Every structure is written in C-alpha cells, then in structure tokens.
Amino acid sequence: MNYNPYSLENKIILVTGASSGIGKTTAIECSKLGATVVITARNEKRLKSTFDELDKSFGQKHQMIIADISNTEGLEYLVSGLPTIDGLSSNAGMAVGNKPIKFIKEEDVQAIMQTNTYSHALLLKLLFKKKLLNKNASCVFTASIGGTISWGPGNTIYGMSKAALESFVKYAAVEFAPRGIRCNSVCPGMIETPLINLDALTDEDKAIDADKYLLKRYGQPIEVARTTAFLLSDASSFITGTSIVVDGGYSVNH
C-alpha cells in the first residue's frame, strides 16, 4: 500500500466555477488525486470540456451539473442534485475590468458581490442546512491578495468582494468547527487565467507588474489547485480559519 496523506481517494468533492481557470484545473487535479468530483458552472460547453478531462483511473463516477449559482434558483437547483460531499472547492468569480472608483456603477457592485461573495456564503449555508457536508468535511474558497494585501487602482469592487469572502470564511470556520467542518481560503496573486485579460493592460504592463513578484512571473492555475487539494486532503486536518497566500512572493516584496 502506498502511503499518501495528500490522497483524495474515496472523497467526493464539489468544485464550483469549474468551466475554466482555477476551478477547472482544481477539478482535474482533484480527480487525479483520486476524488470523485462533482463539477458545476453555467457554461455547458466549457463545463463538458472539463468533465471530459477528469481522471477516472480510480474508478470514479464524476458528475456534472449546469447551474448559475449567482442566483437563488441556481443554487437550489445545484444543491438538489448533490450527494453528500467530503469537500468543497468554491471558485465562482468574476471581474469587470479596471474601473476607478469615480466610474463605479451600482450594477457593477451588485453583480460582483453577488458572484464573488454572496454565492459562496449562500452555497455553504445550503450545504450545511441540508446536511450535505459529511463529518470532517473541508471547504476551500478562492479569495485573492487583491482583497487584503494588494490594493491597486481600479480594482476596488473586486478587492472588496474578495475581502468580504475572506472574512466570511473565518466566521464559517468558527461556527462549523463543532461539527468538525474546516473552512479555509486560498489567496492567489496574479494567475494566468482568462480573467487577467479583462484589464486594459498591455503585455509590457504585465511584464512590469510580474517583475514585482519575487519569482518574477505570474502563477499558473495548477499552483493554486494543488494548494486547494492540500486543504481538501487529510494532510491539512488541523488547519481551519486560515488564508494561504499563493503569490510568488508578491506580498513579501511590498
């Protein structure tokens, strides 16, 4: 028998925002570590692409649920189709590009807070109320250093949504600890995903920005996914209420 405390074999993991970027990579990585994965997103074509890439070498029977969890109906539809789960990787997120405060619109604030903050909180509430979280389940939320460490101009709404999410995770860790349920967040720096192309930054701008990182580059989705997988595994069984920064040394350099 191979000893591997990082294994996710025999665990059922729900991954939201699984159609692209960090969510997609996390779902695939969890499947490679043995997890049975339930993936969800609102784009059926892209989610099917993720589903086709999931590893099945452990005999897993993965599940795909199309749902828009930015609204109550989508959340309830998702939860109605779930088995009890051992872990949650909550990645749903959006951005509106680079907008200074004076150009912020109310609808921008509502849309980003709904997706980046409220949907995560309400999903966890439903999972708990409907007894879909197994004993000693682990819940991991993708936040950002843009919420609590890095404050760049034009990133206000996104940053405040992620800061609120980080705060929620710590409260959740306190409330759910008596049930043995762990709640943590992962806070990436700039990661090479489609979201970074929403900012009006040239390749030269990005190169200058990447130079601020100690490792002199942006991160890759797999580097965040593996941190999330660690928090979902029994190897992190004494970690809860924590934010793990995955930023290539950016925060140390500022």
Side-chain angles (χ1 to χ4, degrees):
M1 179 178 178
N2 293 324
Y3 173 69
N4 181 9
Y6 304 94
S7 172
L8 297 178
E9 195 172 358
N10 299 319
K11 292 183 184 293
I12 299 176
I13 307 293
L14 169 63
V15 183
T16 73
S19 62
S20 65
I22 292 171
K24 175 176 183 174
T25 306
T26 298
I28 295 169
E29 187 68 7
C30 286
S31 72
K32 289 180 178 178
L33 288 166
T36 296
V37 181
V38 182
I39 59 172
T40 187
R42 58 190 174 189
N43 187 302
E44 183 174 1
K45 182 179 179 180
R46 292 191 304 179
L47 191 64
K48 180 63 165 57
S49 174
T50 301
F51 188 81
D52 291 341
E53 292 184 52
L54 296 176
D55 187 278
K56 301 178 181 68
S57 59
F58 292 82
Q60 308 103 303
K61 294 183 179 180
H62 306 298
Q63 185 178 353
M64 179 178 83
I65 302 175
I66 308 300
D68 181 357
I69 64 172
S70 67
N71 61 68
T72 301
E73 293 77 14
L75 280 168
E76 291 178 346
Y77 176 76
L78 168 63
V79 170
S80 70
L82 290 177
T84 55
I85 62 175
D86 303 292
L88 165 66
S89 171
S90 197
N91 306 283
M94 65 173 291
V96 293
N98 199 292
K99 282 196 174 184
I101 292 173
K102 63 183 178 179
F103 295 124
I104 288 176
K105 297 180 180 179
E106 183 177 353
E107 54 264 35
D108 293 334
V109 177
Q110 292 175 339
I112 287 192
M113 292 299 292
Q114 187 68 41
T115 300
N116 292 5
T117 308
Y118 304 156
S119 69
H120 298 266
L122 295 174
L123 174 58
L124 186 60
K125 169 197 167 182
L126 285 174
L127 291 173
F128 187 74
K129 285 192 70 174
K130 294 184 180 294
K131 297 180 170 57
L132 291 172
L133 292 170
N134 286 327
K135 185 179 181 180
N136 299 323
S138 174
C139 302
V140 185
F141 300 81
T142 300
S144 170
I145 64 169
T148 55
I149 294 173
S150 173
W151 297 275
N155 210 29
T156 303
I157 314 174
Y158 180 82
M160 62 191 259
S161 72
K162 292 296 189 176
L165 177 60
E166 269 204 79
S167 179
F168 166 75
V169 171
K170 295 183 188 306
Y171 280 105
V174 172
E175 290 196 20
F176 295 157
R179 300 292 185 91
I181 297 169
R182 298 184 293 115
C183 298
N184 295 287
S185 63
V186 174
C187 297
M190 287 291 276
I191 304 297
E192 295 280 1
T193 72
L195 276 182
I196 70 171
N197 296 320
L198 292 178
D199 289 330
L201 298 176
T202 65
D203 289 341
E204 182 180 0
D205 291 332
K206 292 176 182 176
I208 293 171
D209 186 52
D211 194 56
K212 299 174 184 176
Y213 289 70
L214 288 183
L215 297 183
K216 304 303 179 184
R217 64 175 176 85
Y218 287 160
Q220 296 299 315
I222 188 63
E223 294 173 306
V224 182
R226 286 174 178 161
T227 304
T228 296
F230 160 68
L231 289 171
L232 291 169
S233 77
D234 293 340
S236 62
S237 59
F238 201 53
I239 299 176
T240 193
T242 292
S243 300
I244 296 184
V245 174
V246 185
D247 72 350
Y250 180 94
S251 53
V252 173
N253 209 30
H254 285 76

